């Protein structure tokens, strides 16, 4: 019988996922040493260091399979008046200890355009 192809995307070599047992896996536990507020601050500082741009706000902090997912809104291009600023939303994947696994720009938009005005990422 041919081996079943793995479909889960693994981001970091050496990390372990849940073994398939035919049913639901054991409940996940989160480390108590990294509260969500601290993770938000780590994500904000990382994006400022990585891009050299001004961070506007943290828009998302949620537990992920192997750590945390953090959304940060950054000022990509400052204009006068500020309503002409170009903002960008970045997502960071952090491990359980707050280490950066990956980041990506999800979308760019003009300040005040709202979610409905942005049709594509």
């Amino acid at each position: 019988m041919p081996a079943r192809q793995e479909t889960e995307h693994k981001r970091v070599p050496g990390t372990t996922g849940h073994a398939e047992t035919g049913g639901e896996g054991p409940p996940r536990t989160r480390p108590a040493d990294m509260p969500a507020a601290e993770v938000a601050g780590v994500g904000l500082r990382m994006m400022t260091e990585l891009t050299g741009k001004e961070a506007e706000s943290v828009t998302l902090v949620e537990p992920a399979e192997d750590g945390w997912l953090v959304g940060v809104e950054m000022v990509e291009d400052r204009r006068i008046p500020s309503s002409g600023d170009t903002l960008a939303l970045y997502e960071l994947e952090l491990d359980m200890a707050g280490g950066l696994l990956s980041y990506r720009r999800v979308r760019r938009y003009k300040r005040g355009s709202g979610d409905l005005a942005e049709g594509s990422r």
Side-chain angles (χ1 to χ4, degrees):
M1 179 183 247
R4 198 174 122 201
Q5 184 176 5
E6 183 69 35
T7 58
E8 182 179 324
H9 175 68
K10 296 198 188 299
R11 290 176 294 280
V12 178
T15 60
T16 58
H18 295 301
E20 277 195 35
T21 59
E24 290 188 28
R28 293 186 191 141
T29 58
R30 310 264 343 137
D33 59 340
M34 283 293 288
E38 186 177 338
V39 171
V42 168
L44 199 66
R45 284 188 302 277
M46 282 185 180
M47 282 311 304
T48 301
E49 289 175 15
L50 287 167
T51 64
K53 298 184 183 292
E54 179 184 347
E56 189 77 5
S57 63
V58 173
T59 61
L60 168 75
V61 177
E62 72 178 31
E65 185 174 330
D66 296 325
W68 296 93
L69 182 63
V70 179
V72 179
E73 190 175 52
M74 305 291 293
V75 179
E76 292 265 302
D77 187 26
R78 176 94 40 212
R79 297 287 183 189
I80 298 176
S82 63
S83 59
D85 290 352
T86 300
L87 304 178
L89 182 61
Y90 287 83
E91 286 184 353
L92 297 92
E93 293 182 55
L94 306 177
D95 64 17
M96 295 284 197
L100 182 65
L101 298 173
S102 69
Y103 80 98
R104 66 186 170 135
R105 184 173 61 199
V106 177
R107 67 186 191 106
R108 287 174 52 125
Y109 50 94
K110 292 291 183 188
R111 184 185 297 278
S113 66
D115 288 336
L116 297 176
E118 182 68 24
S120 63
R121 290 182 170 206

